Amino acid sequence: MTAWLLGAGLTVAVAQPAPNTSNRLSLEQCVDIAVKNNIQVRLGQLTIENTDLQLRQSRNNLLPTASFVANQSLSGGGRQIDPFTNAVIPQSTVNTSNYGLSGGFTIFNGFFLRNTVKQNDLALQASQKELAATQNTVALNVVQQYLNVLTGQEQLIVAQQQAAATQAQLDRTQRLVNAGSVPEANLFEVRAQLANDEVAIVNAQNQIDLAKLALLQAMNLPLGQPIDVVSVAVPDPSVAPYEATPQQIYEIALDNMPDVQGAELRVKSAVAGVQAARANFYPILSVNGNLNTLFTSTATRTTSIDTTNISLQPSGQFVILNNERLPVVSPIPRSTRAQVPYVDQLTNNLNRSATLSLRVPIVNGFQARNRVGVAKIQQLNAQLQAENIRLQLRQNIETAYTNMRASANRYRATQASVVSLERAFQVAESRLNAGAINATDYNVAKSNIDRARASLVQAKYDYVFRTKILDFYQNKPLSF
């Protein structure tokens, strides 16, 4: 007994009486291949990855922000503005470097960021449940197609057995005709019945081919690939009737079905969205810090003063001495200037600042109110969708339970019909061999038992599928 666990808790266990070959697949393998290849499942996986990225980003938004800016400028031609003194200088080329480091942190914003994280986290969980629901749908489709293949194979066996019985009767009739015990017309009618049985074999094989095609398509595999399935054991409803009631099944399904769980998570996510939207009514308190520094090629400083060699500079003023007008001069010592070093400029020009800001919303065109209104509508929409999913679940369970009861009754009735018709056919065969009835009456009896046997096969696997649907709703293993 092997078991395979799907993401939603759907378990498939299949008895394997024979080892698998390269093209012989169990139900477990078929479901595994279908889930792996299904496009809707892969789209659901991409949705989960996208939602997970949104959740990570919302968590990262809780962290402080920091940025570094560096600007390098080179200007020349004509007079320039000295970035160091803001004076006009005749220098033709000015080289300037600016560096800035800024950071900020939101202290309070109405819990918008935290509610956004909560909303995205619940949305991620909902996407995971919805993916599990998609996987379950794929698995149930594979189960149905798998049972259709088994139905066709068993109907083919029945048709071959019917043809073999007709061939044996044809041989007996031929001997009786040769012996003169029955008319030759009986031989023609048995041959006609054998031809009908051969047509039934062809039809059964065609049904198998169509069922295998549907199974391959459910697994998203090409038609040219050969495939065979493992036979399963079928329970008898007369021996072990289904015990759970629709209400019991529904109550269990509410706690286990991933689509219901996903819908409830969507509602919780929408509630968190409303709380996040309400943050627009609250003030925002944040703190920011900045570090800035500057380097310029125009920054110079005096490096040495020569007091022994002093020059005189006119001041533009005059004095009268001995009736002589003399200019006033000031002594200027000779000095040497050099550019301030790069590192010294960055250190000396370092500027620090910190800002605590508070933004209080007063009037913003009713944007906050409208955003809350939209979020509430989304919440109501999620609630209605969840209610609709629960309603559909109840109706599906009630329909599946009714179909199961009908299948069980049809299976039991068909079993009884087969038993009766087999006895009638045995009597007709004995009477035909004894010459008491003609071949027409024999063919009627044989056609009746043939149809009953084919109906029994169909009813049997239909009952199996109906019971497995109910098992699925109760989170039971789909075991055969």
Side-chain angles (χ1 to χ4, degrees):
M1 185 75 67
T2 61
W4 176 76
L5 182 63
L6 207 58
L10 171 62
T11 306
V12 179
V14 184
Q16 301 183 21
N20 289 342
T21 60
S22 58
N23 63 341
R24 187 173 178 84
L25 300 176
S26 65
L27 178 59
E28 172 190 9
Q29 294 170 318
C30 291
V31 172
D32 191 19
I33 294 173
V35 171
K36 180 180 179 181
N37 295 339
N38 187 267
I39 294 179
Q40 294 300 321
V41 172
R42 292 159 65 183
L43 288 174
Q45 292 170 345
L46 291 178
T47 300
I48 290 178
E49 292 180 7
N50 182 62
T51 308
D52 184 56
L53 289 175
Q54 293 177 359
L55 174 59
R56 293 182 183 180
Q57 183 58 55
S58 61
R59 287 173 175 168
N60 293 336
N61 291 339
L62 293 171
L63 302 176
T65 60
S67 61
F68 175 76
V69 178
N71 295 317
Q72 179 69 36
S73 65
L74 183 65
S75 60
R79 296 191 302 173
Q80 303 292 327
I81 301 297
D82 186 352
F84 189 69
T85 62
N86 289 328
V88 178
I89 57 176
Q91 186 173 341
S92 60
T93 302
V94 177
N95 182 15
T96 305
S97 300
N98 291 281
Y99 303 98
L101 178 64
S102 61
F105 179 72
T106 301
I107 300 175
F108 178 79
N109 65 343
F111 302 106
F112 172 79
L113 296 177
R114 294 190 180 277
N115 285 324
T116 302
V117 171
K118 182 179 179 181
Q119 181 184 12
N120 292 335
D121 186 22
L122 292 169
L124 175 61
Q125 297 179 44
S127 298
Q128 293 170 341
K129 294 297 182 181
E130 290 164 356
L131 173 61
T134 302
Q135 292 173 326
N136 284 348
T137 302
V138 173
L140 280 179
N141 184 37
V142 171
V143 171
Q144 183 176 18
Q145 304 306 331
Y146 192 94
L147 291 177
N148 287 342
V149 175
L150 293 177
T151 301
Q153 290 179 345
E154 191 160 336
Q155 287 181 337
L156 176 60
I157 294 175
V158 171
Q160 291 171 342
Q161 292 174 346
Q162 293 168 355
T166 304
Q167 181 63 52
Q169 184 59 44
L170 178 63
D171 296 339
R172 286 192 295 271
T173 303
Q174 181 67 56
R175 291 193 295 268
L176 292 175
V177 170
N178 294 338
S181 301
V182 296
E184 189 176 5
N186 288 3
L187 183 63
F188 296 148
E189 293 189 7
V190 176
R191 285 177 178 173
Q193 181 61 42
L194 180 60
N196 290 335
D197 292 344
E198 291 174 349
V199 172
I201 292 176
V202 174
N203 291 336
Q205 184 60 56
N206 291 338
Q207 291 299 320
I208 292 176
D209 294 340
L210 291 175
K212 287 185 176 181
L213 172 61
L215 180 58
L216 287 172
Q217 290 177 344
M219 294 187 292
N220 198 16
L221 295 177
L223 176 61
Q225 178 172 334
I227 185 175
D228 195 8
V229 298
V230 180
S231 60
V232 300
V234 179
D236 190 339
S238 302
V239 178
Y242 210 87
E243 297 180 352
T245 64
Q247 183 61 31
Q248 292 173 337
I249 298 173
Y250 175 71
E251 292 175 355
I252 296 174
L254 284 178
D255 296 330
N256 294 283
M257 295 306 297
D259 48 352
V260 175
Q261 296 172 344
E264 293 175 350
L265 288 169
R266 289 293 180 189
V267 173
K268 294 180 181 179
S269 177
V271 171
V274 174
Q275 295 173 348
R278 291 185 185 276
N280 294 285
F281 290 112
Y282 293 92
I284 298 178
L285 180 63
S286 60
V287 61
N288 296 277
N290 293 277
L291 290 175
N292 296 283
T293 189
L294 169 69
F295 166 81
T296 176
S297 60
T298 61
T300 60
R301 65 184 177 185
T302 301
T303 58
S304 64
I305 299 177
D306 186 3
T307 59
T308 62
N309 188 4
I310 299 175
S311 62
L312 299 177
Q313 179 179 356
S315 64
Q317 297 177 353
F318 296 87
V319 296
I320 303 297
L321 182 62
N322 296 327
N323 295 323
E324 184 179 359
R325 188 170 179 267
L326 300 175
V328 178
V329 295
S330 58
I332 300 177
R334 294 183 179 273
S335 62
T336 303
R337 300 186 64 84
Q339 186 180 49
V340 180
Y342 186 87
V343 176
D344 291 347
Q345 286 195 49
L346 296 182
T347 303
N348 297 334
N349 296 331
L350 185 61
N351 179 33
R352 305 172 183 85
S353 65
T355 304
L356 182 65
S357 62
L358 177 66
R359 185 175 66 87
V360 180
I362 299 177
V363 178
N364 59 355
F366 297 100
Q367 293 182 10
R369 187 184 302 274
N370 292 333
R371 288 172 183 173
V372 173
V374 172
K376 287 183 176 180
I377 292 175
Q378 293 175 347
Q379 177 185 347
L380 292 175
N381 183 57
Q383 290 173 343
L384 289 176
Q385 289 182 351
E387 182 179 350
N388 185 55
I389 288 177
R390 288 191 292 268
L391 176 61
Q392 289 181 349
L393 177 63
R394 176 183 288 277
Q395 293 176 348
N396 291 340
I397 289 176
E398 292 173 349
T399 301
Y401 186 84
T402 303
N403 288 334
M404 183 276 298
R405 292 288 299 273
S407 298
N409 293 334
R410 183 166 59 251
Y411 185 32
R412 285 190 291 264
T414 308
Q415 280 182 314
S417 176
V418 168
V419 172
S420 299
L421 291 175
E422 282 179 346
R423 294 175 180 175
F425 174 69
Q426 292 173 358
V427 172
E429 190 175 30
S430 299
R431 296 182 66 187
L432 177 65
N433 294 333
I437 60 173
N438 56 34
T440 300
D441 295 333
Y442 167 80
N443 287 338
V444 170
K446 186 176 185 306
S447 297
N448 291 336
I449 186 59
D450 291 346
R451 286 194 299 269
R453 287 170 176 168
S455 298
L456 179 61
V457 173
Q458 185 68 40
K460 177 175 65 173
Y461 284 105
D462 183 63
Y463 171 73
V464 170
F465 180 67
R466 303 300 176 184
T467 58
K468 295 311 158 186
I469 291 180
L470 296 178
D471 288 344
F472 158 73
Y473 285 127
Q474 300 175 81
N475 199 30
K476 291 182 178 179
L478 292 179
S479 56
F480 293 122

